[in-house]
Amino acid sequence: MRPSVSIWFAAIFLMIFSLSLIPSSVQAHTDNSEGKSKITAEAGVLHYDLLVDIFELGRVVDLGNLPQMREDDLSDALRKNKMLIDEYMSTKLEIFSDGVKTHGKISDIGIEQEGELKYARIRIDFPIQDLSKKAVEIRYSIFFDDNDRLHRNIAHYEIENKSGEFILTAEKRTFQLGKGTLLEQVKSFVQLGFHHILVGLDHILFVIALLLCSKTLKDVMKVVTVFTLSHSVSLGLSALHLVSVSPDIVEPLIALSIVFVALEYIFFPSGRYRLWTVFGFGLIHGLGFSGGLEITGDFSFRTLLSILSFNLGVEGGQAMILLLMFPIILLVRRNRWGNMIQGTASAAISVLGFVWYVQRFLG
C-alpha cells in the first residue's frame, strides 16, 4: 500500500478518537430523554403510572431552578406545581375509550431516582367503566413537539387478561391496548436496542478497544462471541429483575473495563487471559444495557420476546461497529507507523475511560 493511502486511513482513525474525546466532560451516554409507563386497571379506573426525566419536564413546565434543588426540594416543586403539570399532561397524554376522550387526574406525584437519573413519578387516574368491553387508545405526545423530538417511552400494560409492551416515539404516538402485533413489538424493541448501543459511547469504545487487541478475524470472532454470550445472560437476568445491581456500581465498572482493555493492548499484548476478561466485563456491560430496557410486568412470552428483540438490536449495533472499524484497523496496521497509531489510540481510550470512571464514582 502506498504511504499516502495509509496515512489517510490513519488520519481518519485518529479523527474518530479525537471526536470521541469531545464529550469527556459529560456523560458517556449522549442520549435523548427516556420515559417509562405502567398501565393497570381496577374498579372502573385505568391507572397510568408515568416516569419522565424531571429536568426535561422542567423545560416545558415552570418548576423553578431544578438543578439547584435537593431531592426534597424537587418533590416539593412537583407537588406545588401539580396543577400546571396536570394541565400539560391533559393535552400530551390522552386516553380515548371507544373514541371518546377520558379526562384523568393526577392522584400521586413524587421523585424516583435510578442511578444518575431523576424521574418525576406521576400517577394519573382515568375513569373508564367496563374496560373489557372498550377499545382503549393511548395518545402520547410528551416532549415530542416541545423540546425533545427523540424522546421515547417504554410502556407495559396489564388490562383484564391482556398484557404486553410497546414503545412510544414521535413517529408512533398512539397505541391501542391489546391490539399490538408481535411483529410490531419485535421491530420496536430491535430498534431500541440498536439505538441504545449507538448512543452509548462507552460501549462503542469498549468494542473498539477489543478490536485493537485482536490480531486476526478469528480473534475478533472469539471475543465478540464471548462478549455477546456474557452480556446477553446478564441483560436477560437484569431485565427480568432476577439480578439487581445499582447503576452507581455498574457505570463506574463499565468505565474501568474500558481502561483495562485499552491498556491491555499496550502492556499485555499476548492476551493470554483475554477471553475470561471479556466474559467478566461482558456481564457488567449487560447490566448497563439493561438500563435501556425496563420490563415492569410479570414474566410472559411477550416479555421474553421484548428482551430477545432488544438484545438482537444491540448485536446489530455492535456488528455495524465491527464492520466499520476492523477494516480501518487492518489498514492502519499495514502502515509502518501502525503500532504507534494503535498505541496512541489505546492510550486515548484509557484516558477517556478513566475520566468517566472519576465522574461516575464521584457523581
Side-chain angles (χ1 to χ4, degrees), residues 39-51:
I39 306 163
T40 56
E42 61 177 356
V45 178
L46 184 143
H47 301 297
Y48 197 111
D49 292 301
L50 173 69
L51 291 180

Side-chain angles (χ1 to χ4, degrees), residues 242-269:
L242 298 176
V243 172
S244 179
V245 182
S246 170
D248 293 336
I249 297 174
V250 172
E251 293 301 321
L253 288 177
I254 288 176
L256 278 183
S257 74
I258 297 170
V259 177
F260 186 93
V261 174
L263 291 180
E264 184 184 22
Y265 171 80
I266 300 173
F267 297 106
F268 308 102

Side-chain angles (χ1 to χ4, degrees), residues 14-23 201:
L14 287 177
M15 181 182 69
I16 292 172
F17 284 103
S18 297
L19 290 174
S20 74
L21 288 172
I22 291 175
L201 184 56

Side-chain angles (χ1 to χ4, degrees), residues 166-179:
F166 59 97
I167 301 173
L168 293 157
T169 66
E171 289 72 34
K172 187 171 177 56
R173 306 184 183 199
T174 64
F175 187 85
Q176 188 168 332
L177 297 182
K179 296 297 182 180

Side-chain angles (χ1 to χ4, degrees), residues 105-121:
K105 288 291 182 182
I106 295 177
S107 60
D108 184 46
I109 194 166
I111 292 291
E112 185 165 320
Q113 182 154 352
E114 295 185 9
E116 302 167 344
L117 298 178
K118 288 185 175 65
Y119 289 97
R121 186 191 70 252

Side-chain angles (χ1 to χ4, degrees), residues 71-89:
E71 186 167 328
D72 290 343
D73 297 328
L74 290 174
S75 296
D76 289 340
L78 288 174
R79 286 191 288 269
K80 289 177 181 177
N81 293 281
K82 179 180 173 182
M83 187 176 297
L84 289 175
I85 297 171
D86 205 355
E87 183 179 336
Y88 177 77
M89 293 296 170

